[in-house]
Amino acid sequence: MKILMFGRGVISTLYGWALEKAGNEVDFYVRPGRAADFGSSVDVDIRDGRASSKGKPVQENWPITLREDLEPDHDYDLIIVSVNHDQLDSAVDFLQPRVGGATILIFNNVWADPAAAISRLPREQVTWGFPGGGGGFDVSTLHGGIVRSIFLGDIDGSSRTDRHRVVRELFTDAEFSISDIADFRSWLWFHFILDAGIMVGWLRMGSFDALVRSRPALKEVVRLIREMIPVLTAKGGTSRFGAAAARFIPASVIGFAMQKLLTGDNLFTFIMTQAQNTGHNNYKAQADYPRDVLADARRLGVAVPRLEANEPAFR
Ligand SMILES: NC(=O)C1=CN([C@@H]2O[C@H](COP(=O)(O)OP(=O)(O)OC[C@H]3O[C@@H](n4cnc5c(N)ncnc54)[C@H](OP(=O)(O)O)[C@@H]3O)[C@@H](O)[C@H]2O)C=CC1
Ligand SMILES: CC(C)(CO)C(=O)C(=O)O
């Protein structure tokens, strides 16, 4: 398959690498003028969790093809968009006259209404997913990892199309396993709330390491997540299993489980540590999550006193 990764960010590079190794042709679209900054290869220093749960170490210099334009009659089969949630609008603006016959996979956080966010694209060409991996760039070296699982979801029937099936096959052929999510809009919003809670804790404690070492700080993250769930439902989402668990299981129990997961010798901890150590999550990237949830809470009249009390950390 001929694939265009939109941007040369962390997720697009990780999954572009995996998909090219699986036999696909992969190019990157970058903003005009950026190709020279990025150069013609990436130093990859990652763990590949498809073969083993701890991840097989990979270190290589990977030659890549960057392009600074995209003609409307291009012949890409698939365009994978993985940008920061506040960049999705501009990505859609760019792609709207240039979709051609390609399937678009939106593969990032979304806090807007997903259907509205892509309303300028041909709806039947759009599929939805979310990465399981992550990390960050240290200058031109990519540090992080991919886990075996990726998420593919349904928004308004999008998972019943042939295009969705082709995307599914692409990832399974590349040795990924798929977690299918029926109500992906609620899943995306719950995931965003999780990130918002973690980012408040991270900002307050000064680092991800400090956050995961502190049981009280993790407990506070759980309480924040719990408080934000009504924002998700006020937006029209439903309280899924994760949200229900966050609501009814005591914060101390979830805090304990989070600490076990986030300090353990596992690929997830490794990925988060790489994201932290490379400075991938700068202040803006962290503060955007709780700030956007708070803005919607205020707009929808949902009381979030705990989040408001933490506002100085992310204003
Ligand atoms: N990194 C991680 O550990 C994880 C990230 N995610 C999620 O995945 C998504 C992507 O994250 P990540 O890859 O880390 O982000 P990055 O900031 O590394 O990558 C985004 C890339 O998209 C480019 N881009 C954005 N808008 C445009 C545009 N209009 N034209 C051209 N290029 C554009 C950016 O370019 P520029 O720099 O020039 O703006 C950047 O290179 C986010 O939603 C994130 O929350 C999910 C799990 C883990
Ligand atoms: C891992 C994290 C919080 C930051 O890198 C992220 O972007 C995500 O999970 O959505």
Side-chain angles (χ1 to χ4, degrees), residues 10 22 55 69 102 142 147 207 224 232 310:
V10 174
D69 58 0
L142 176 64
V147 300
S207 70
L224 278 163
L232 178 162
N310 278 290

Side-chain angles (χ1 to χ4, degrees), residues 216-249:
L218 285 173
K219 233 166 106 178
E220 175 66 6
V221 166
V222 177
R223 292 197 178 112
L224 278 163
I225 293 166
R226 181 173 289 168
E227 182 186 77
M228 289 185 272
I229 291 169
V231 185
L232 178 162
T233 45
K235 277 162 74 83
T238 53
S239 205
R240 299 178 55 261
F241 174 74
R247 205 157 184 185
F248 299 116
I249 301 173

Side-chain angles (χ1 to χ4, degrees), residues 89 122 129-130 141 143 153 183 189 201 215 219 260 286 308:
D89 254 358
F130 198 86
T141 304
H143 297 279
D183 176 5
W189 288 346
R215 196 82 62 80
K219 233 166 106 178
K260 279 266 174 241
Q286 291 175 310
E308 269 178 338

Side-chain angles (χ1 to χ4, degrees), residues 205 210-223 251-260:
M205 297 301 290
L211 168 64
V212 298
R213 277 197 307 268
S214 164
R215 196 82 62 80
L218 285 173
K219 233 166 106 178
E220 175 66 6
V221 166
V222 177
R223 292 197 178 112
S252 54
V253 174
I254 301 180
F256 175 75
M258 273 173 97
Q259 191 170 47
K260 279 266 174 241

Side-chain angles (χ1 to χ4, degrees), residues 29 38 43 67 79 117 127 155 158 210 226 236 262 275:
Y29 165 74
F38 286 132
D43 289 318
R67 50 180 306 161
I79 300 176
T127 57
I155 307 264
S158 66
R226 181 173 289 168
L262 297 174

Side-chain angles (χ1 to χ4, degrees), residues 193-205 211 221 272 281-282 285-290 313-314:
I193 282 173
L194 278 180
D195 278 353
I198 289 172
M199 291 311 174
V200 172
W202 183 330
L203 285 166
R204 288 202 51 163
M205 297 301 290
L211 168 64
V221 166
M272 290 302 288
N281 294 296
N282 60 22
Q286 291 175 310
D288 274 354
Y289 292 89
F314 60 83

